[in-house]
Amino acid sequence: MFEKLIKKLKEGISKDEFYNLTKEHYEGFDFNAIYDLMKFQGLPLTEINGKIYLKTALIPYDEAEYTVVDLEVNNSKPKEGQAIEIGAVKIKNLKPVDEFSFLIKATDIPKYVTKVTGIDEEMLKNEASQKEILKKFRLFLGDSIFVAHAADFDYNFLAKQFEKENLGELLNRHLCTITLAEKTIEAQRYGLKYLKESLNLPNEVDHRALGDARTTTRVFLKALENLPEDIITAEDLIEFAQPKKNKCKKKKEKRD
């Protein structure tokens, strides 16, 4: 349903068509309820002259709002694990304007996770629950474009956690800085730490969510400097950054 809906929303559809495409997924809801719920869940909808559009298909990429996200998790399998730290940087008009950073309560932190991140159970025992932090993150994220280095992992992992916590779906448009960097930055490797070093970016704490989100933000903004001239809208940018061969699905890609 969503793939067909997104394709049509890029060109604009009537309220009736929008309702017909979504009513089975949101059974029992009327048009207004579905429209408001999907906007709350992050789909960037707008209504112009009686038609429903994706805002990202209309707004220039350099005027769009992005949220650059990084996660630390206790298990990379969403069904078995949870987020233990979320870090994010909000970008407006291609400038960082706000940050989000929270540790999350968890009781099962494997030794290898502590070795990589420095996060242990003692650090997390008095933190808020994943559900409470995800509620805060939903408000911070809004309907901005979700950006991450290994975006499919971070996005899909969080989507599963929203579902597990009965917080609805995650519908934000998203893009991956690995494939975006591959198409715009000349480098031997595209792991986040390597790009930080090769681009002489400011040092941040590696393998901590906010530090990696800040580095990803700088990689993202650097990549935007080298876009082809035919990239005009935010949706153009999302399509340009589509991954190949599942490069953005594995967390280990970010760690190289």
Side-chain angles (χ1 to χ4, degrees):
M1 183 273 285
F2 288 113
E3 185 175 346
K4 183 178 181 180
L5 177 66
I6 292 298
K7 185 176 181 179
K8 287 181 172 290
L9 284 170
K10 292 177 184 179
E11 302 297 327
I13 57 177
S14 68
K15 293 181 180 180
D16 286 343
E17 187 172 8
F18 177 87
Y19 180 65
N20 288 333
L21 286 169
T22 57
K23 63 182 180 181
E24 290 186 8
H25 189 76
Y26 297 99
E27 188 175 356
F29 288 73
D30 62 15
F31 164 81
N32 289 327
I34 295 172
Y35 182 84
D36 290 343
L37 178 58
M38 294 185 80
K39 284 189 68 174
F40 178 73
Q41 293 177 338
L43 194 64
L45 299 173
T46 188
E47 182 181 343
I48 301 175
N49 297 326
K51 297 185 74 173
I52 311 300
Y53 294 85
L54 274 182
K55 286 195 298 185
T56 47
L58 303 176
I59 190 170
Y61 76 86
D62 55 354
E63 296 178 14
E65 184 175 300
Y66 304 88
T67 301
V68 184
V69 182
D70 188 82
L71 302 180
E72 302 303 335
V73 304
N74 64 351
N75 187 315
S76 62
K77 296 179 181 178
K79 289 184 179 181
E80 300 174 17
Q82 67 161 82
I84 59 174
E85 187 176 37
I86 302 177
V89 178
K90 180 66 64 66
I91 296 174
K92 295 182 179 180
N93 298 314
L94 302 189
K95 293 182 179 180
V97 296
D98 201 2
E99 294 184 338
F100 181 98
S101 180
F102 283 92
L103 290 165
I104 299 171
K105 187 172 184 176
T107 57
D108 181 19
I109 310 300
K111 290 182 179 180
Y112 73 87
V113 171
T114 298
K115 183 176 181 180
V116 171
T117 66
I119 299 171
D120 57 27
E121 294 177 14
E122 182 67 22
M123 291 173 61
L124 303 180
K125 67 179 183 179
N126 295 320
E127 300 296 334
S129 68
Q130 177 174 251
K131 186 169 188 175
E132 291 305 308
I133 299 304
L134 289 181
K135 288 180 180 179
K136 294 177 184 291
F137 181 68
R138 169 87 79 187
L139 296 176
F140 183 85
L141 182 62
D143 67 355
S144 62
I145 300 167
F146 185 110
V147 178
H149 211 67
D152 279 358
F153 173 85
D154 293 87
Y155 185 88
N156 291 327
F157 192 97
L158 276 180
K160 292 294 185 182
Q161 302 315 306
F162 272 104
E163 292 178 14
K164 281 168 60 175
E165 303 289 0
N166 295 314
L167 295 175
E169 296 173 286
L170 185 64
L171 300 182
N172 297 68
R173 306 295 287 144
H174 60 284
L175 66 85
C176 179
T177 51
I178 293 176
T179 51
L180 181 62
E182 287 177 334
K183 296 176 181 181
T184 56
I185 297 172
E186 186 174 344
Q188 293 182 345
R189 304 205 312 269
Y190 290 89
L192 192 58
K193 185 176 181 179
Y194 182 84
L195 285 173
K196 179 175 68 173
E197 294 171 353
S198 64
L199 295 173
N200 295 313
L201 301 178
N203 192 39
E204 298 284 353
V205 178
D206 293 327
H207 309 315
R208 291 298 301 268
L210 183 58
D212 283 351
R214 287 172 175 168
T215 298
T216 302
T217 296
R218 295 176 181 123
V219 170
F220 175 61
L221 294 175
K222 184 68 175 178
L224 296 187
E225 296 176 6
N226 301 317
L227 289 178
E229 293 183 358
D230 61 348
I231 305 301
I232 306 298
T233 69
E235 199 62 36
D236 291 338
L237 177 61
I238 292 168
E239 293 176 6
F240 176 72
Q242 286 295 306
K244 297 179 180 179
K245 299 180 181 179
N246 299 325
K247 282 182 177 290
C248 287
K249 287 189 176 181
K250 296 182 180 180
K251 193 68 171 175
K252 67 180 182 181
E253 288 284 352
K254 192 194 77 168
R255 303 306 191 195
D256 290 346

